[in-house]
Amino acid sequence: MNLAIPFHLENLIGGNFIGPLSGQFINNINPATAEVYGQIPNSNEQDVQLAVNAAQKALEEWSNTPAEKKFIVLNRIAELIDEHAETFALAETNDQGKPLWLSKKVDIYRAAANFRFFATGALHFSSESHAMENTAINYTLRQPVGVVGCISPWNLPLYLFTWKIAPALAAGNCVIAKPSEITPVTAFLLGKICAEAGLPAGVLNILHGDGPSCGEAIVKHPGIKAISFTGSTRAGEQIARIAAPMFKKLSLELGGKNPNIIFADCNWEKMMETTMRSSFSNQGQICLCGSRILIEASVYEKFKTEFIQRTRSLTIGDPLEDSSQQGAIVSKVHFDKIMNCIALAKEEGGTILAGGNAVQLQGRCANGYFIEPTIIEGLGPDCKTNTEEIFGPVVTLQLFTTIEEALQLANATSYGLASTIWTQDISKANIVASKIEAGIVWVNCWLQRDLRTPFGGVKNSGVGREGGWEAMKFFTEAKNICVEF
Ligand code: NAD
């Protein structure tokens, strides 16, 4: 199997790698060096049509493939990702800017885990029956939706791409998938290993391109019956606008502005160490990062002093170096957005306690997009800095004195994705957890993931849940059959 990365990436349609019909390409840039190191197809509705044709052709066979055979193929994909983990990790880092050690430890490891998990899902998925005493029995068939669309973002490229594709395939669907145009390479490599693993042609079609041209063409196509989307709330709105009147099944995993609530009685060292990760992992570009840190007044100064000290000691460097704790921001556009957010925070009256500046590295990464991890204080809950998603290495500090005040601050945004609570008092944790407006609550931990649990947000953070049976249910249609005795 050839996993060399060509300068021009191609779409995977019906088992063949082909260029875009329009001949249009987009530059692919390494954010750590600012170098154009490849081009990807900017696919449009014609390419989507080809992919839908291929998927429809493959659907009959794949949807009727025995679960055990699906398990073998999906599990083999997981094994092949593991076998080529080094190649995948390097590709992810060059595309995205995250430290190579992080790509290996988190992104690629988890991409394989997604396939392994949903491979067994194919074996274990079952449906309900409801008996009516001496009258009738209902049984529910859960049939594949058909051809489905999966669209994913750039922050955890292969990790989130596979989180959608694996359950869609396990449930017996054929897939048209689009990775972010900013981080396309690992999706391209995944296409290469799928054929090797025995996935029949046309079952998974991977199209590259930007949102308006390729993404919207997928959402609009009447032959694509469900859309699973992860990305910004803005794009989610646009997708809902198109797909809702077509009555497509929709799963929307959108933005966040997550609170990290620290009570004085927490396990301090564990909280400090985890808060560093929940603030700045992947340069703060994880939808689950706790970007609003809420601290009980009695420990505010202690927290502030230690947090500033630890933040200033983070090593920003070449993502290929093991010593780099912070890598590059994903693109120039996103770099500019984050720097504008920092400028806005100052205009709003915020004080920069640490960071706040772009970083110019020496050597290979001299032109890359690097920003210091940044801490801001002195802003109230209603300003833009504390209500709008920044999605970078930028956190704010706010203090509270009572549980009620902590909850008020925590719930003071239009988002509701994730939250973290730090306390040794289990009753307090349970009360706050039950009242917080979020789909995911971590108590005394962060990013602890069990793939069986429902994953998703409330309010403007999305609609629907992924993970475990939730994903298998999303990718199937329930049909109830009632048989009278
Ligand atoms: P984005 O919305 O710009 O793009 C996401 C994907 O959607 C890309 O593949 C893009 O090409 C495509 N797209 C964009 N506009 C589209 C349109 N009109 N129609 C169809 N497809 C379209 O998001 P991004 O900048 O890549 O990612 C960052 C965002 O993703 C942040 O808001 C972050 O919070 C969110 N995110 C959410 C989760 C979650 O699980 N809730 C996970 C990761 C990232």
Side-chain angles (χ1 to χ4, degrees):
M1 182 177 38
N2 177 9
L3 287 186
I5 302 165
F7 186 81
H8 285 101
L9 295 191
E10 292 171 315
N11 292 326
L12 173 62
I13 299 179
N16 299 309
F17 282 90
I18 53 175
L21 294 179
S22 68
Q24 300 289 311
F25 285 85
I26 309 172
N27 284 341
N28 192 21
I29 296 167
N30 179 335
T33 61
E35 277 162 354
V36 175
Y37 75 109
Q39 289 200 317
I40 66 159
N42 195 13
S43 311
N44 62 22
E45 62 277 359
Q46 291 175 295
D47 306 288
V48 172
Q49 185 59 55
L50 276 189
V52 172
N53 294 347
Q56 283 172 339
K57 201 168 151 207
L59 187 61
E60 176 73 16
E61 185 193 331
W62 182 248
S63 59
N64 288 302
T65 296
E68 195 178 348
K69 175 78 195 301
K70 288 201 204 87
F71 162 79
I72 289 169
V73 174
L74 298 182
N75 199 46
R76 183 69 191 132
I77 295 174
E79 286 172 351
L80 286 171
I81 294 174
D82 280 341
E83 281 171 31
H84 299 281
E86 298 279 330
T87 305
F88 273 95
L90 184 60
E92 203 73 297
T93 284
N94 285 336
D95 247 8
Q96 208 270 349
K98 66 183 68 194
L100 183 58
W101 59 263
L102 187 66
S103 291
K104 286 182 196 164
K105 191 174 149 197
V106 175
D107 294 71
I108 306 310
Y109 166 80
R110 173 60 192 276
N114 288 339
F115 269 105
R116 194 168 289 117
F117 177 81
F118 284 109
T120 69
L123 289 179
H124 292 277
F125 191 46
S126 59
S127 58
E128 312 87 336
S129 82
H130 299 91
M132 302 167 74
E133 295 76 13
N134 299 323
T135 321
I137 184 154
N138 297 273
Y139 64 93
T140 308
L141 293 181
R142 292 202 171 268
Q143 296 173 315
V145 175
V147 177
V148 301
C150 297
I151 301 177
S152 59
W154 49 254
N155 66 320
L156 298 164
L158 193 66
Y159 174 131
L160 290 174
F161 196 59
T162 53
W163 181 232
K164 298 179 178 304
I165 292 171
L169 296 176
N173 301 281
C174 289
V175 176
I176 315 291
K178 189 192 96 57
S180 169
E181 64 278 21
I182 299 168
T183 52
V185 176
T186 48
F188 171 81
L189 294 176
L190 177 71
K192 292 274 176 188
I193 67 169
C194 281
E196 179 84 8
L199 193 69
V203 172
L204 172 62
N205 303 277
I206 300 175
L207 297 182
H208 298 276
D210 65 21
S213 169
C214 181
E216 284 199 22
I218 292 172
V219 177
K220 280 180 186 155
H221 197 290
I224 299 177
K225 302 297 180 191
I227 301 291
S228 173
F229 169 80
T230 299
S232 62
T233 297
R234 182 193 45 75
E237 269 175 40
Q238 172 65 2
I239 288 169
R241 216 173 277 129
I242 298 168
M246 299 175 81
F247 304 107
K248 294 193 180 198
K249 285 190 100 174
L250 261 184
S251 170
L252 301 173
E253 300 290 339
L254 310 177
K257 189 76 183 172
N258 310 310
N260 175 10
I261 308 174
I262 297 166
F263 287 97
D265 63 357
C266 68
N267 175 334
W268 192 261
E269 184 49 37
K270 186 176 178 203
M271 177 279 294
M272 284 304 305
E273 185 265 317
T274 310
T275 293
M276 290 302 296
R277 288 195 294 116
S278 67
S279 302
F280 302 123
S281 286
N282 200 25
Q283 295 71 254
Q285 303 164 127
I286 300 181
C287 55
L288 307 165
C289 277
S291 55
R292 292 180 300 137
I293 307 181
L294 314 179
I295 308 127
E296 192 164 0
S298 60
V299 290
Y300 185 86
E301 287 304 323
K302 178 178 177 208
F303 175 82
K304 182 170 135 181
T305 309
E306 274 191 44
F307 189 53
I308 292 173
Q309 192 192 359
R310 289 186 192 224
T311 300
R312 286 191 179 142
S313 72
L314 286 175
T315 307
I316 307 162
D318 185 336
L320 298 182
E321 301 287 337
D322 283 345
S323 58
S324 298
Q325 290 163 299
Q326 294 280 289
I329 300 298
V330 73
S331 67
K332 177 72 167 72
V333 171
H334 197 53
F335 169 92
D336 288 341
K337 181 200 155 179
I338 296 168
M339 292 309 293
N340 286 336
C341 288
I342 294 172
L344 176 71
K346 289 186 207 162
E347 277 170 36
E348 289 185 315
T351 304
I352 309 291
L353 298 176
N357 304 302
V359 178
Q360 162 108 53
L361 297 179
Q362 304 293 313
R364 188 184 90 94
C365 297
N367 297 320
Y369 317 129
F370 295 85
I371 297 178
E372 290 173 338
T374 299
I375 310 172
I376 301 167
E377 77 166 352
L379 291 172
D382 300 327
C383 65
K384 285 192 172 176
T385 304
N386 271 330
T387 53
E388 294 183 1
E389 186 181 44
I390 297 173
F391 213 55
V394 180
V395 295
T396 61
L397 309 187
Q398 297 174 76
L399 65 79
F400 66 86
T401 47
T402 62
I403 291 181
E404 291 69 32
E405 207 184 334
L407 275 166
Q408 232 167 30
L409 289 174
N411 293 337
T413 77
S414 61
Y415 293 105
L417 185 55
S419 54
T420 309
I421 302 166
W422 290 97
T423 176
Q424 305 262 43
D425 178 342
I426 193 66
S427 303
K428 190 156 66 183
N430 283 329
I431 289 167
V432 177
S434 70
K435 294 192 174 165
I436 214 157
E437 293 166 359
I440 300 158
V441 182
W442 279 293
V443 177
N444 298 329
C445 59
W446 177 73
L447 212 60
Q448 182 68 268
R449 291 283 292 121
D450 179 329
L451 303 190
R452 294 169 299 180
T453 59
F455 180 94
V458 299
K459 295 159 64 179
N460 291 1
S461 289
V463 177
R465 292 291 179 275
E466 297 187 329
W469 292 152
E470 299 280 344
M472 296 297 281
K473 284 183 179 170
F474 175 77
F475 285 115
T476 51
E477 291 282 11
K479 180 190 286 174
N480 191 66
I481 297 163
C482 179
V483 185
E484 206 169 70
F485 292 155

